[in-house]
Amino acid sequence: MSHDEIQVYYHAALAAYVAAWNAYIGNLVRNFYDVIADPLNPKFDAIHILAKHTAENALTRFNTPNWENTRNILVQYTGYDPIGDWGWTQRRMSSTQVRERLNEILRVRHSFAHGFDMPAYVWTQSPSGQARLTSKAIQATEAFFKNLVKVTDRGMKSHIESIYGLPSIW
């Protein structure tokens, strides 16, 4: 298999991780509304239905899940601010570094999706200085998103329990 063919698979893998992250955030918002629903309280239910509908409309326009857009959709439609939860202690990455990496991943995906040159980051640069994806970068990206989902789930669970007083089935 040629180097170019391998890159196509790496690009597809990275694009799949970004798409999965986007879908996860959408499902997280939808699941939030399912968990906090209280159909036996008509006043709450009326507001809940309006808020859920507004969130669904916003999710149809949510197509760039960088850290800013992701944080905004979570804060605006669930009240949960994930920013403090997004550190990755096992990899010694602060919340700021995690946010930067998320945006880097989105920029790399954007570059090959739209035919631009791939940006050169520490994790995308070969020893010769060429920007490219490697199996190591793809594995690191998978681990990155697994961690991000884990800490975001934990944070949302805590948010629901503390704000709504509900034992979450998260």
Side-chain angles (χ1 to χ4, degrees):
M1 189 174 304
S2 75
H3 172 71
D4 289 341
E5 291 172 325
I6 291 171
Q7 285 300 296
V8 168
Y9 286 112
Y10 291 157
H11 289 186
L14 190 98
Y17 289 127
V18 170
W21 171 247
N22 194 1
Y24 162 75
I25 293 300
N27 287 331
L28 183 67
V29 171
R30 289 178 188 100
N31 290 339
F32 165 80
Y33 284 98
D34 292 343
V35 168
I36 68 160
D38 187 1
L40 299 178
N41 181 339
K43 290 179 184 177
F44 178 83
D45 193 48
I47 295 296
H48 178 269
I49 290 168
L50 289 173
K52 184 176 182 179
H53 179 72
T54 302
E56 282 293 338
N57 285 338
L59 289 171
T60 64
R61 296 181 305 279
F62 181 64
N63 54 18
T64 304
N66 60 21
W67 85 263
E68 297 92 345
N69 294 344
T70 299
R71 180 185 188 207
N72 287 341
I73 206 152
L74 289 175
V75 169
Q76 289 174 3
Y77 297 102
T78 71
Y80 166 58
D81 188 350
I83 203 162
D85 296 327
W86 280 0
W88 193 4
T89 54
Q90 295 86 347
R91 298 281 173 102
R92 294 186 183 97
M93 290 177 76
S94 68
S95 177
T96 302
Q97 291 169 314
V98 168
R99 293 190 314 261
E100 288 172 5
R101 177 62 59 92
L102 179 58
N103 282 3
E104 288 174 359
I105 292 168
L106 270 286
R107 285 185 206 109
V108 169
R109 185 236 160 261
H110 183 79
S111 72
F112 62 74
H114 298 285
F116 304 135
D117 290 337
M118 183 182 299
Y121 299 114
V122 170
W123 60 279
T124 64
Q125 205 161 17
S126 71
S128 67
Q130 179 186 12
R132 65 183 172 92
L133 292 175
T134 62
S135 63
K136 183 178 176 183
I138 295 301
Q139 291 169 353
T141 300
E142 179 180 359
F144 175 84
F145 279 119
K146 281 182 178 179
N147 179 72
L148 201 51
V149 165
K150 181 178 81 175
V151 298
T152 304
D153 266 354
R154 188 181 314 139
M156 179 62 83
K157 180 181 191 299
S158 176
H159 171 71
I160 291 169
E161 289 172 349
S162 67
I163 300 300
Y164 295 91
L166 297 172
S168 175
I169 55 171
W170 228 256

